[in-house]
Each structure stands twice: as structure tokens, then as C-alpha cells.
Amino acid sequence: MTDIHPTAIVEDGAVIGDGVRIGPYSIIGPNVQLAEGVTLEAHVVVAGHTAIGARTHIFPFASIGHKPQDLKYAGEVTYLKIGANNQIREHVTMSPGTEGGGGVTNVGDNCLFMMSAHVGHDCQVGNHVILANNATLAGHVELEDFVILGGLSAVRQWSRIGTGAIIGGMTGVEFDVIPYGSAIGDRARLAGLNLVGLKRKGIPREQIHALRAAYRALFESENGTLRSRAEALAAESTDQPLVKTVTDFILDKDDRRFCTPRSED
């Protein structure tokens, strides 16, 4: 049974699944789809062509699916797709895509978006991602699975952050961050690997040791470019899945800049 508070507004055309609960003064637009078991607390607004997956829970004053914050947006139909089992806390904002970015913002499953986090237009967010309070994604950002962003961090448009990486609080990310990397600083520098996260996931010790050796080969050597070092490492480490994840990430595109270690000035 659905439970829609009498003060809520659900516009004609909205698709409401079984067991959905919509709290006081929430507003649901005509092109919104809420899957089974979705919960919207009081004063939630969901607009645009937005689909929200099963059992996602959205807290008061979140603004989901309003037109993107991009001056090039001209009213074209674009989409926001949010997966299942997410927690979207107070004052979170999420934007749909734009024509120039593929038209779709995607958010995966089992994510936590803490208070006032922002997901910009055309972002691609994986599964089990955490954005702490006031963490911000500009447009076209890609977050792979199990990424954690600390409070008040910000990621510049078009940046990629690889699986299992962690970004410290108040860090500004300008360039791509490798999988399992740990980045900190007002302008992000790579500060090692997210070893705590790897250990919490039960990654075998020998795989972590191989990844640490790969990190040293990539970022502590002065031989060649980062790309050439990644190519050599990829050829040598075909039996190491974590290392392969990192080298694949670096070699995936030719025109990327990466967050690297650097000394404090």
C-alpha cells in the first residue's frame, strides 16, 4: 500500500510503485517514476524526467531533478536515473543531464549522500559511493564504485575518480584520481593508497602488497612518463587484479591528467 500524505502534491502522470511513502508537503512532478518502497520525507521535491529506484530514502528539503545548472541548457528533455537502496539526506541536490553530456545523470545503488551534497549534470556515479556533508560534483564527473568523498570536498568538471579511492575533507580535485588512491589538499595531491578501505573489504594481503609496489613504480620512479610506466606495469602484472584496475584506468584515455604525489610547499 502506498502512503501519500494529504498535503503532498503528486502530479498527473507520475508513476508511483507499491509501498511508496510520500511525506507532508512533498511535490512529485508529472514525469517522475518512484519504484517500490521509495520513501520521501517531508518537503522533498522531485522534478523532471527522474526515475528513483526501489527502497531509496530521501530526506527533507532535498531537491532532485530540477533543470541543470548549465547556461547552455535550453529546455531539452534529459534524464536523472537514481538506483536502489540509496540514502539521500537533507538539502541534497541532483541535476539531470544535458544534451552536450549525453543527456543522462546516473546514480548507482547503495550510495549515501549526506547533507547538502550535490551531483551535477551528466555525472556518472557508481555503486556504494559516499559523499559526506557538502561534497560537490561539478558536471560530467565520473565516480566509480566504492568512492568516498570527505566533507566540503569538490570535484572539477570532467574529472574521474577510480574505484575504492578516498578524497579527504576540504579537498579540491582537479585531475583524475587512480583507483584505490588517497587524495588530500586544497588542490588535491595523491597521498598514497586507501589501505584502510582495502583492508575493510578483506582484500588479500598479497594483492595489497602488489598494489603498493605498483604505486611506487608508477609514482616514485623518474623513468619515462606516467603512461609509459603504466604500460610496462600492465605487461608485468597480468595476474594482479588490483594492479590491472589501476593500469587500465590510467591507459583508458590518452588525454587525461592525473592527481600525483607532490611535496608540500
Side-chain angles (χ1 to χ4, degrees):
M1 296 290 291
T2 58
D3 180 7
I4 301 175
H5 193 275
T7 61
I9 297 173
V10 179
E11 297 192 39
D12 291 343
V15 177
I16 308 299
D18 292 339
V20 168
R21 184 167 69 86
I22 301 176
Y25 303 103
S26 290
I27 301 174
I28 311 303
N31 299 303
V32 170
Q33 300 177 38
L34 303 181
E36 63 273 10
V38 167
T39 296
L40 309 183
E41 301 291 353
H43 299 281
V44 173
V45 181
V46 185
H49 288 77
T50 298
I52 299 176
R55 297 172 301 281
T56 286
H57 190 168
I58 306 181
F59 287 76
F61 301 105
S63 177
I64 309 298
H66 281 94
K67 70 178 186 177
Q69 299 176 101
D70 184 339
L71 293 177
K72 298 185 296 299
Y73 179 74
E76 62 271 18
V77 174
T78 58
Y79 300 89
L80 169 62
K81 297 180 179 180
I82 300 171
N85 301 308
N86 294 295
Q87 292 191 57
I88 300 173
R89 296 304 305 247
E90 297 83 356
H91 298 281
V92 167
T93 54
M94 294 185 177
S95 300
T98 64
E99 187 175 30
V104 183
T105 301
N106 281 301
V107 174
D109 303 330
N110 301 296
C111 299
L112 169 60
F113 300 88
M114 297 187 195
M115 185 195 73
S116 297
H118 173 66
V119 176
H121 60 84
D122 303 292
C123 286
Q124 307 298 314
V125 178
N127 304 313
H128 302 279
V129 167
I130 297 174
L131 270 63
N133 296 349
N134 297 102
T136 300
L137 306 180
H140 312 280
V141 168
E142 297 179 26
L143 302 186
E144 296 184 351
D145 296 346
F146 295 101
V147 168
I148 299 175
L149 268 62
L152 296 164
S153 60
V155 184
R156 193 176 73 168
Q157 63 268 27
W158 300 103
S159 297
R160 298 182 303 155
I161 299 180
T163 184
I166 186 168
I167 309 302
M170 301 181 69
T171 294
V173 178
E174 297 179 285
F175 308 122
D176 293 1
V177 178
I178 61 167
Y180 316 112
S182 173
I184 59 172
D186 57 349
R187 288 296 181 264
R189 61 180 176 86
L190 204 56
L193 295 167
N194 182 14
L195 297 175
V196 172
L198 291 167
K199 292 174 182 176
R200 283 176 176 170
K201 288 198 287 184
I203 300 298
R205 180 176 298 179
E206 61 272 15
Q207 290 189 31
I208 294 176
H209 287 171
L211 185 61
R212 295 180 74 174
Y215 181 91
R216 290 192 294 270
L218 287 168
F219 297 109
E220 296 179 11
S221 172
E222 296 181 358
N223 296 324
T225 63
L226 176 61
R227 186 174 186 84
S228 67
R229 295 194 293 272
E231 288 171 345
L233 193 59
E236 298 168 1
S237 305
T238 56
D239 61 340
Q240 292 294 336
L242 298 189
V243 176
K244 186 177 187 302
T245 299
V246 173
T247 56
D248 285 352
F249 185 86
I250 293 172
L251 298 173
D252 181 50
K253 294 181 174 66
D254 293 329
D255 58 347
R256 308 299 301 183
R257 296 183 66 182
F258 291 89
C259 181
T260 58
R262 62 178 182 266
S263 59
E264 298 277 10
D265 295 328

